[in-house]
Every structure is written in structure tokens, then in C-alpha cells.
Amino acid sequence: MPVQRRRAVFFMAVLGLALLSLTGCAAEAVQPGAPTQGQLDTQNPQNVSAAIQILLLVTVISLAPAILVMVTSFTRVIVVLSLVRNAIGIPQLPPNQVLVGLALFLTAFVMAPAIKQINSEAVQPYLNGTISQQEAYSRGEAPLRTFMLKQTREQDLGLFLKLSDTPKPETIDDVPTYVLVPAFTISELKTAFQMGFVMFVPFLIIDLIVSSALLSMGMMMLPPVIVSLPFKILLFVLVDGWYLIIGSLVGSFS
């Protein structure tokens, strides 16, 4: 047997003996029926409740991006900005990082009153220990529900009430949150596409004019997009397009 192979076999044998000895020591150290240090005592209800709360907290943190998209103004803002970028004819500009960053800051701006109300009425009292966790959740949910109800169409709300077989609520406050969130989302999508259609029309007119001009001059081999792109950018700059779009977006939530 070569020397290197014998050394490898000897090393593996020593490693195996060390693992077996460590396993035996660990088994002797652990007493059956007694919780070790760092081990959860499942017989104590307080420990189980704390573990469940930690699990729920980790779940909420992992779902934070979806919550941001579904219950805030982010959906409408990012869809409108994406439609504007495509209407101009430059899908790569502004970059996705810039577009998402702008959408996040606009979302924070629009949601600032609700965030301040949640912080003053739910987060701070809970941190000070004056209210329970359930009450803090109820207080924190109220401003978001108020915002979503103002932006949700009755038709969309009725659709999800029908799909969920939920009885017709007597008041708007009786609408379940799991019904309100998807209704709010599709209402936001419809509003965003309506705004996008209005913004597409001027750029479409420029494309039609350029195509007709190139066709009349017999320049059929020249793509109209290449010629119309500078004119669309010029139009967007002359009318101060970002000012108008951002103003219309933020004003649509009033």
C-alpha cells in the first residue's frame, strides 16, 4: 500500500474514533427528560408562546416586500413609471434601480401620514408597554385600512366579497382585511393603466407622424422608432414630463 494511502486511512480512522468519543460524551451529558441549556422546554406555555411570537415575527419580516406592495401606493407608482419608460421608447432608461428607488421614496411620501399615525398610536404605546400586542395590531391596521378603502372601487370590493361568500357588511368597517387587500390591488392596477394610457397618447401621435413622413418620402427601410425617439425625448423635456407625472401620481391619492 502506498505511503500516502496509508496515511489517509490512518487519518480517517483517528477522525472516526474522535467522533465516536464525542458522541458518547454528549449522550452521557444529556439527561433524559431534562431540558438542556439552549433547549426549549415545551412543557412551559410561556416558552411556547414566545417561540410562536418569534416565528410570526420572522414570517412578517420575510413577507415585508409583499406587504409593501399590496397595502401601500407602491403598486400604482411603479406601474405608472414603468409605462412612462416604455411609452418614451427606452426600456432600459431610467434603470430599474432608479425606478424602484423613486417608487419607494414616493410611496414613503404618500404613506407618511399613515406611518406617523401608526407610530404614534400603535408602535410607541406598545414599546412603552401601555397596550397589548393585539391592541397594537388593531391600532396599526386602522390607518392602512382607511387608506385602502379610499382608493378601492366598490365594484372590486363587491367582487371579492362575492368570491369569498362573505355576507354583505353593514358598514365599511366590517369588511374583512383579507377581502380588502386584493380588491385594493386590482383597483390600483386599473387606475395605473388608465394613467398610463393617457400618457401613451402623445408619444403614439409622434410615432404616427414620423411614420407617415418617412412613408411619404419613400424611406421605408428606416425604422420610424429611431427617428421618433429624439422627438419624444424632446417633447418630454419641454413639457417637464417628470414634474407632471409625479405631480399627477401623488395628487391621485388625495
Side-chain angles (χ1 to χ4, degrees):
M1 181 182 294
V3 178
Q4 294 181 353
R5 185 174 180 183
R6 281 184 294 178
R7 288 180 179 178
V9 172
F10 176 74
F11 176 76
M12 293 178 63
V14 172
L15 181 61
L17 290 174
L19 291 175
L20 287 175
S21 62
L22 289 175
T23 305
C25 293
E28 293 177 359
V30 177
Q31 298 295 329
T36 59
Q37 184 178 3
Q39 182 178 358
L40 179 64
D41 184 8
T42 57
Q43 302 300 323
N44 190 347
Q46 294 181 352
N47 290 337
V48 176
S49 177
I52 294 176
Q53 291 179 2
I54 294 174
L55 178 62
L56 292 176
L57 179 61
V58 172
T59 303
V60 171
I61 293 176
S62 62
L63 295 177
I67 296 174
L68 173 66
V69 171
M70 298 297 287
V71 301
T72 63
S73 59
F74 183 83
T75 301
R76 184 188 304 184
V77 173
I78 192 64
V79 171
V80 170
L81 294 179
S82 300
L83 289 174
V84 170
R85 183 173 64 176
N86 289 319
I88 296 175
I90 314 177
Q92 297 83 13
L93 293 176
N96 290 330
Q97 293 85 349
V98 175
L99 217 60
V100 174
L102 178 59
L104 286 173
F105 278 102
L106 288 177
T107 301
F109 180 82
V110 172
M111 302 299 298
I115 294 173
K116 292 179 181 178
Q117 185 177 354
I118 292 172
N119 182 60
S120 61
E121 296 183 1
V123 177
Q124 294 302 325
Y126 176 70
L127 294 178
N128 295 331
T130 57
I131 60 175
S132 63
Q133 183 178 4
Q134 184 64 30
E135 187 176 358
Y137 172 78
S138 301
R139 291 187 181 185
E141 184 185 24
L144 292 178
R145 283 178 55 88
T146 302
F147 172 79
M148 288 189 289
L149 286 170
K150 288 182 179 180
Q151 308 299 329
T152 304
R153 299 183 305 159
E154 294 184 2
Q155 181 181 358
D156 298 328
L157 201 57
L159 170 64
F160 283 95
L161 286 172
K162 180 181 178 181
L163 293 176
S164 61
D165 293 330
T166 303
K168 185 177 181 180
E170 296 181 359
T171 62
I172 199 67
D173 295 331
D174 297 332
V175 176
T177 303
Y178 71 89
V179 172
L180 176 59
V181 171
F184 166 75
T185 303
I186 64 173
S187 296
E188 289 292 281
L189 288 175
K190 179 176 181 180
T191 304
F193 275 90
Q194 288 175 341
M195 298 179 67
F197 171 77
V198 174
M199 289 180 293
F200 255 95
V201 172
F203 301 109
L204 178 61
I205 293 175
I206 293 178
D207 285 333
L208 291 175
I209 293 174
V210 171
S211 299
S212 300
L214 292 177
L215 184 62
S216 62
M217 291 186 295
M219 303 175 65
M220 293 178 292
M221 300 301 295
L222 182 64
V225 177
I226 298 178
V227 180
S228 63
L229 180 58
F231 292 100
K232 290 190 287 187
I233 295 176
L234 179 62
L235 172 65
F236 194 74
V237 172
L238 289 177
V239 300
D240 201 354
W242 290 116
Y243 174 86
L244 296 176
I245 291 169
I246 301 303
S248 300
L249 264 176
V250 176
S252 65
F253 292 100
S254 302

